């Protein structure tokens, strides 16, 4: 007969003093061993093969000690404990099995007291359950009987104060808990982190549970959607069977943001109820942990933190997102605080609360969170709250996004988080105007060395803005400009020029000829005309644009000054290097007066002037000018700024052209090391420097080494930039040249013929690059003794 639970709040239990076993028995009939106390839940057979089970069974020499199964609610901690208990019980390896629901201190005391009664320990009357619990605790410390105590779902380590089962060679303890942290530390305690199923375990579990292969048409997809969480998989499998729904259909319903988690599990109150004797749905199970976290100091912060995390990438959110000013302001708003606002220290404390309850995993660098924790959190938010949360998350991402993406892994994480935010935000991040992070993430793709991906991203944004804002909205037109730019950067200069021409016609209609946007698009159109192989046409267009800018904007406007620089550039590209140098020098004088010597545009013009001096034949003057420019850039922009790195590249190049290829190779090699550190291996600047390094090594007397290095570069460019990118085509030209100079004239001629065919297709027959390849083909055919007479 069970003792009646004392309604008093138990503050503590006096532990026994180590008396012998017999002192605790009454004069009743001897206990019939083995003894089973407490209700052990029914096991779920599918959990028995888990990899974590093996770690649970592994124990010290005599199998003693405490195992703490720690993990997110729903990962199967209880099922693992059941499996161990049943295995030891059925194998006659224990004399006492005690299963205690450890959700409160009172529940633990009651469980201990009942065990004392069932064991007929001396002095146990049921009148004082705290004393009865103390007798049982003392008996555990003294008996030679083999025992297993399972404390299931410990919610507060303080509840076990003076109640931890003692360390005995004859005894084992298993504690299941959502907690982790210092409060669980202790002698002979071993923390076992219980995670989700592996991919293979999850798929096997679903197949076994569904049975019907018609339903199991995509178990891997369901497993991925549910983050391989055992509880979710169990309830999803039951739902699929009950509703006769296939995995594919379940995934479609799950992807519908209007569906809630509780809509995709069996009805707990229905005829079949929940599977495996589970008492709660996935959402309810996770809500318990969330509520517990929200009640923990700093109270009320856990849920807003999870809301912010719920719209970001579950695989890794930069921890700095949560400590931004934007996040602090939003958290303060959600907590109802006006003063003081939530500060960084408080935020970090809140993250640690979530970490200790296994709702997130927080490190100094990143926060990870299970996708179903995110889904359960979003299910409690209104659409307006989600939109506000997504905007706050986008603000935070923008705040931590560096101007120069030195850490490529960090940049990728920022892009992944922005993609996730956009998915959850729907149209709220693009109206009434696109959030800055929307354009930043697309630009980041291009700047990382993947202009084709940037082009696709801007295509999707354009389609969204056409639908939401309409074709004539300025943001839609601006996005078309960005799309055209990255089309050109991806290698389609002619396509970019055509797109800018169409955009110009629409801008003339929508905002008129003198609007700044119209003038900017004319500048872009001229640029890509030049890139497409018409530098003279680009110069003419720039000259016409300059006249209108002088009239509309005035001579000192930054756009007017920029157009003068572009005009000089295209005149030089059209063959007038001396005229380009003169015009650039005149521009520099005006920029020094209008913008000042340290303005980025002024420094850029100095770079152009140094180059044009070199192209006019003054290579020594170019080297000197680049050295002076580098000194100023180091002072103004710092050593890791892309413009500083670009100047170092130019300086090395002109050193080589001035007759010092070995020095150029050394300087380029040093530059490459810094670019790898700052920009990463796949950045266009890094790839270009590898090509320059190969060139200067070849010019210094190692054509075979240059060919090998260029071939390695080509492999990476094909992977990063694609076969039709202009830089890839240039590298193929260089590789053919170095093969020829290394002694393989026939191979060089063959390579140039193949390159020529592709350039005619990609660039057209009249492009300067195509014509240059034609000249190279003639030369190497001649070197190989072949007939060089041919036409395109």
């Amino acid at each position: 007969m069970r003792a009646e639970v004392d309604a008093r709040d138990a503050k503590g239990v006096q532990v026994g003093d180590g008396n012998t076993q017999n002192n605790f028995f009454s004069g009743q009939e001897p206990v019939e061993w083995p003894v089973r106390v407490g209700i052990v839940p029914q096991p779920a057979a599918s959990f028995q093969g888990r990899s974590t089970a093996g770690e649970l069974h592994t124990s010290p020499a005599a199998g003693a000690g405490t195992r703490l199964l720690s993990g997110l609610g729903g990962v199967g901690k209880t099922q693992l404990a059941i499996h161990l208990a049943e295995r030891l019980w059925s194998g006659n390896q224990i004399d006492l099995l005690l299963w205690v629901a450890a959700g409160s201190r009172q529940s633990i005391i009651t469980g201990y007291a009942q065990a004392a009664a069932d064991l007929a320990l001396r002095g146990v009357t049921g009148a004082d359950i705290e004393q009865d619990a103390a007798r049982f605790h003392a008996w555990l410390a003294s008996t030679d009987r083999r025992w297993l105590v399972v404390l299931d779902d410990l919610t507060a380590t303080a509840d076990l104060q003076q109640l931890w089962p003692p360390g005995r060679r004859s005894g084992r303890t298993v504690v299941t808990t959502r907690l982790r942290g210092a409060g669980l530390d202790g002698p002979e305690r071993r923390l076992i982190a219980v995670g989700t199923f592996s991919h293979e375990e999850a798929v096997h579990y679903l197949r076994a549970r569904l049975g019907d292969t018609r339903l199991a048409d995509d178990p891997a997809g369901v497993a991925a959607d549910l983050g391989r969480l055992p509880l979710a998989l169990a309830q999803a499998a039951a739902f699929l069977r009950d509703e006769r729904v296939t995995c594919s259909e379940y995934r479609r319903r799950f992807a519908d943001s209007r569906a809630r988690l509780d809509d995709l599990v069996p009805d707990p109150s229905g005829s079949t109820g929940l599977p495996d004797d589970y008492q709660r749905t996935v959402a309810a199970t996770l809500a318990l942990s969330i509520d517990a976290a929200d009640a923990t100091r700093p109270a009320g912060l856990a849920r807003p933190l999870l809301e912010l995390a719920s719209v970001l990438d579950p695989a890794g959110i930069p921890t700095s997102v949560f400590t931004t000013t934007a996040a602090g302001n939003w958290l303060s708003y959600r907590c109802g605080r006006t003063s003081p606002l939530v500060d960084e220290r408080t935020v970090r404390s809140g993250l640690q609360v979530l970490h200790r309850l296994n709702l997130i995993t927080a490190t100094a660098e990143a926060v990870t969170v299970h996708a179903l924790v995110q889904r359960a959190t979003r299910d409690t938010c209104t659409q307006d709250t989600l939109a506000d949360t997504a905007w706050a998350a986008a603000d935070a991402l923008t705040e931590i996004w560096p101007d120069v993406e030195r850490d490529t892994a960090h940049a990728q994480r920022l892009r992944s988080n922005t993609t996730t935010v956009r998915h959850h935000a729907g149209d709220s991040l693009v109206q009434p105007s696109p959030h800055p992070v929307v354009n930043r993430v697309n630009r980041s793709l291009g700047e990382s060395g993947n202009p084709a991906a940037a082009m696709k991203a801007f295509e999707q944004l354009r389609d969204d803005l056409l639908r939401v804002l309409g074709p004539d909205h300025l943001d839609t037109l601006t996005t078309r400009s960005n799309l055209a730019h990255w089309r050109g950067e991806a290698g389609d200069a002619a396509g970019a020029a055509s797109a800018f021409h169409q955009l110009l016609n629409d801008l003339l209609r929508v905002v008129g000829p003198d609007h700044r946007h119209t003038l900017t698009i004319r500048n872009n159109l001229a640029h890509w005309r030049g890139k497409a192989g018409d530098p003279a046409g680009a110069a003419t267009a720039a000259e016409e644009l300059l006249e209108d800018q002088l009239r509309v904007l005035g001579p000192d406007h930054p756009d007017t000054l920029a157009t003068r620089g572009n005009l000089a550039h295209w005149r030089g590209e059209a063959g007038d290097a001396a005229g380009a140098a003169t015009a650039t020098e005149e521009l520099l004088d005006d920029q020094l007066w209008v913008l000042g010597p340290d303005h980025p545009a002024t420094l850029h013009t100095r770079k152009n002037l140094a180059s044009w001096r070199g192209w006019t034949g003054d290579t020594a003057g170019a080297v000197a000018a680049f050295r002076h420019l580098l000194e100023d850039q180091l002072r103004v922009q710092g050593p890791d700024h892309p413009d500083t790195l670009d100047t170092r590249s130019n300086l090395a190049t002109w050193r080589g052209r001035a007759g010092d290829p070995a020095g150029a190779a050394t300087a380029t090699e040093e530059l490459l090391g810094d670019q790898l550190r700052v920009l990463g291996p796949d950045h266009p600047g890094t790839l270009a420097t590898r090509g320059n390094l190969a060139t200067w090594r070849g010019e210094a007397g190692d054509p075979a080494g240059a060919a090998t290095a260029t071939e390695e570069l080509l492999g990476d460019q094909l992977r990063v930039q694609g076969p039709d990118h202009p830089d890839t085509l240039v590298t193929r030209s260089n590789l053919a040249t170095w093969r020829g100079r290394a002694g393989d004239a026939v191979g060089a001629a063959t390579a140039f013929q193949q390159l020529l065919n592709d350039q005619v297709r990609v660039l057209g027959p009249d492009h300067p690059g195509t014509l240059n390849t034609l000249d190279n083909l003639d030369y190497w055919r001649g070197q190989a003794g072949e007939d060089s007479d041919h036409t395109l």
Side-chain angles (χ1 to χ4, degrees):
M1 181 176 178
R2 289 188 178 276
E4 183 177 351
V5 177
D6 192 334
R8 293 174 299 168
D9 183 19
K11 301 299 183 182
V13 173
Q14 186 64 40
V15 179
D17 58 4
N19 293 333
T20 63
Q21 171 185 339
N22 292 334
N23 290 340
F24 291 95
F25 281 98
S26 66
Q28 301 173 14
E29 291 294 323
V31 174
E32 184 177 345
W33 299 94
V35 178
R36 186 172 180 138
V37 184
I39 300 175
V40 182
Q42 291 295 313
S46 300
F47 284 72
Q48 295 178 10
R50 295 193 64 179
S51 57
T52 312
E55 187 177 359
L56 177 59
H57 296 155
T58 302
S59 54
T66 298
R67 298 291 181 268
L68 299 150
L69 301 182
S70 172
L72 175 67
V75 294
K77 303 180 294 296
T78 296
Q79 292 294 340
L80 286 168
I82 294 170
H83 176 56
L84 175 65
E86 295 293 348
R87 177 175 175 270
L88 295 178
W89 181 265
S90 62
N92 196 30
Q93 299 179 54
I94 51 176
D95 301 313
L96 169 67
L97 169 58
L98 173 61
W99 189 280
V100 177
S104 68
R105 184 174 180 84
Q106 189 68 34
S107 178
I108 298 168
I109 292 172
T110 300
Y112 281 9
Q114 182 60 48
D118 287 358
L119 293 174
L121 298 185
R122 184 181 302 278
V124 173
T125 65
D128 189 337
I129 64 170
E130 293 189 17
Q131 288 301 318
D132 292 349
R135 287 181 171 87
F136 173 71
H137 191 276
W139 178 84
L140 289 177
S142 60
T143 184
D144 290 330
R145 290 288 186 181
R146 301 166 301 169
W147 52 263
L148 170 66
V149 175
V150 178
L151 297 162
D152 187 33
D153 197 19
L154 178 68
T155 58
T157 55
D159 290 343
L160 272 178
Q161 187 176 2
Q162 296 184 324
L163 292 177
W164 285 95
R168 294 283 293 172
R169 290 179 61 83
S170 59
R172 300 188 187 197
T173 302
V174 173
V175 179
T176 71
T177 181
R178 307 176 194 208
L179 304 172
R180 58 182 165 185
L184 296 173
D185 293 343
E188 298 186 37
R189 297 178 196 167
R190 179 180 176 189
L191 184 69
I192 299 175
V194 182
T196 60
F197 279 149
S198 68
H199 173 76
E200 293 75 15
E201 289 171 341
V203 173
H204 174 76
Y205 177 86
L206 282 174
R207 288 190 187 281
R209 275 307 190 71
L210 293 176
D212 189 341
T213 56
R214 290 173 299 177
L215 299 182
D217 61 344
D218 188 10
V222 172
D225 288 345
L226 298 178
R228 308 187 307 281
L229 186 71
L231 173 61
L233 294 172
Q235 296 183 1
F239 180 83
L240 291 168
R241 293 197 312 271
D242 291 347
E243 299 290 329
R244 305 305 296 169
V245 170
T246 65
C247 288
S248 297
E249 174 59 24
Y250 182 90
R251 296 193 69 195
R252 283 190 286 271
R253 297 188 189 185
F254 184 83
D256 187 348
S257 60
R258 296 169 298 180
R260 301 168 67 87
L261 284 179
D262 280 344
D263 297 331
L264 300 170
V265 300
D267 184 355
S269 62
S271 58
T272 58
L274 296 174
D276 296 337
D277 285 339
Y278 285 117
Q279 302 300 309
R280 305 182 187 91
T281 64
V282 178
T285 299
L286 297 175
L288 286 176
S289 295
I290 296 172
D291 290 344
D294 213 40
T296 304
R297 188 180 63 188
L301 185 58
R303 189 176 299 277
L305 281 169
L306 277 180
E307 288 173 354
L308 193 61
S310 75
V311 297
L312 292 162
D313 183 11
I317 307 165
T319 303
S320 54
V321 162
F322 298 95
T323 58
T324 58
T325 300
N329 290 338
W330 184 83
L331 292 169
S332 297
Y333 162 73
R334 289 296 289 159
C335 292
R337 297 188 187 184
T338 56
S339 180
L341 298 178
V342 175
D343 58 15
E344 179 176 343
R345 181 182 300 176
T346 305
V347 168
R348 292 190 181 278
S349 295
L351 291 174
Q352 286 306 307
V353 168
L354 294 171
H355 176 86
R356 289 196 298 273
L357 280 161
N358 272 294
L359 287 165
I360 66 172
T361 296
T363 67
E365 293 76 29
V367 168
T368 57
V369 55
H370 194 279
L372 288 186
V373 174
Q374 293 182 306
R375 182 66 175 264
T377 302
R378 292 196 302 272
D379 279 356
T380 64
C381 298
T382 66
Q383 285 301 116
D384 287 344
T385 299
L386 276 180
D388 289 345
T389 305
W391 197 272
D395 283 345
L397 289 168
T398 302
E399 188 174 331
I400 67 171
W401 212 305
D403 293 332
V404 179
E405 295 175 356
R406 297 180 175 89
D407 186 339
T408 55
H410 180 62
Q412 178 56 47
R413 182 166 285 169
L414 290 173
R415 292 194 292 269
S416 296
N417 276 273
T418 303
T419 300
T420 306
V421 168
R422 281 212 64 197
H423 170 74
H424 293 305
D427 292 337
S428 64
L429 281 187
V430 295
Q431 61 180 351
S433 186
H435 190 284
V437 81
V438 174
N439 286 302
R440 185 66 186 92
V441 66
N442 294 350
R443 194 170 76 249
S444 173
L445 280 171
E447 292 170 350
S448 70
N450 195 349
M455 181 181 69
K456 291 181 180 179
F458 275 113
E459 281 180 344
Q460 181 60 57
L461 178 58
R462 175 204 59 192
D463 293 344
D464 290 342
L465 295 184
L466 284 170
R467 174 177 52 83
V468 175
L469 303 180
D472 292 341
H473 193 283
L474 279 180
D475 286 319
T476 306
L477 297 170
T478 299
T479 297
R480 287 175 58 190
S481 174
N482 290 328
L483 171 58
H485 169 80
W486 289 110
R487 176 171 286 119
E489 292 294 338
D492 185 8
S498 176
F500 275 116
H501 180 73
Q502 296 171 9
L503 178 57
L504 176 60
N505 290 334
D506 288 334
L507 278 167
L508 287 169
R509 174 179 55 83
V510 174
V511 297
D514 292 341
H515 193 280
R516 187 177 176 184
H517 281 49
T518 305
L519 300 174
T520 298
I521 294 306
R522 287 175 61 187
N523 176 68
N524 293 337
L525 174 57
H527 172 82
W528 288 109
R529 284 184 64 180
K531 287 286 188 179
D534 184 13
T540 299
E543 190 169 14
E544 294 171 351
L545 171 62
L546 180 60
E547 293 178 2
D548 288 334
Q549 285 179 319
L550 287 168
R551 173 178 55 82
V552 175
L553 303 176
D556 295 337
H557 192 279
D559 290 356
T560 306
L561 297 173
T563 297
R564 287 175 60 188
N566 293 334
L567 174 57
H569 171 80
W570 291 116
R571 282 177 175 169
E573 292 292 333
D576 186 9
T582 300
T584 305
E585 190 168 14
E586 293 171 352
L587 170 62
L588 179 60
D589 290 339
D590 290 337
Q591 285 180 317
L592 287 168
W593 176 67
V594 174
L595 304 176
D598 294 340
H599 192 279
T602 306
L603 297 173
H604 183 76
T605 297
R606 287 177 60 187
K607 181 192 76 170
N608 290 339
L609 178 56
S611 291
W612 289 121
R613 282 177 174 166
W615 288 117
T616 61
D618 184 9
T619 55
V623 169
F626 274 116
R627 280 178 175 158
H628 292 313
L629 173 61
L630 180 60
E631 292 174 358
D632 289 334
Q633 285 179 314
L634 288 169
R635 173 180 55 82
V636 175
Q637 297 172 309
D640 292 341
H641 193 281
D643 290 351
T644 306
L645 298 173
D646 184 59
T647 294
R648 288 176 60 188
S649 176
N650 281 305
L651 176 56
T653 294
W654 285 106
R655 282 185 64 180
R657 287 171 177 160
D660 183 13
T666 299
T668 304
E669 189 169 16
E670 293 172 353
L671 169 63
L672 179 60
D674 288 333
Q675 285 180 315
L676 287 168
R677 172 180 56 82
V678 174
L679 304 176
D682 293 341
H683 191 277
T686 306
L687 297 172
T689 295
R690 287 176 60 188
N692 292 339
L693 178 57
T695 294
W696 293 119
R697 283 177 173 169
E699 294 292 347
D702 184 13
T708 299
T710 305
E711 189 169 15
E712 293 171 353
L713 169 63
L714 179 60
D716 287 332
Q717 284 181 314
L718 288 169
R719 172 180 57 83
V720 174
Q721 297 172 311
D724 293 341
H725 193 279
D727 292 351
T728 306
L729 299 175
V730 168
T731 297
R732 288 176 61 187
S733 175
N734 292 338
L735 177 57
T737 295
W738 289 118
R739 282 177 175 168
R741 291 179 63 173
D744 184 9
V746 174
T750 300
F752 272 118
Q753 180 62 68
Q754 295 169 346
L755 174 60
L756 180 64
N757 296 336
D758 288 333
Q759 284 180 315
V760 169
R761 173 180 57 84
V762 175
L763 304 177
D766 297 328
H767 191 280
T770 307
L771 298 176
N772 184 64
T773 296
L774 187 61
D775 291 340
N776 285 324
L777 176 59
D778 286 342
Y779 174 80
W780 287 111
R781 279 183 169 175
Q783 293 295 309
E786 301 176 13
D787 182 8
S788 62
D789 292 333
H790 60 274
T791 58
L792 286 175

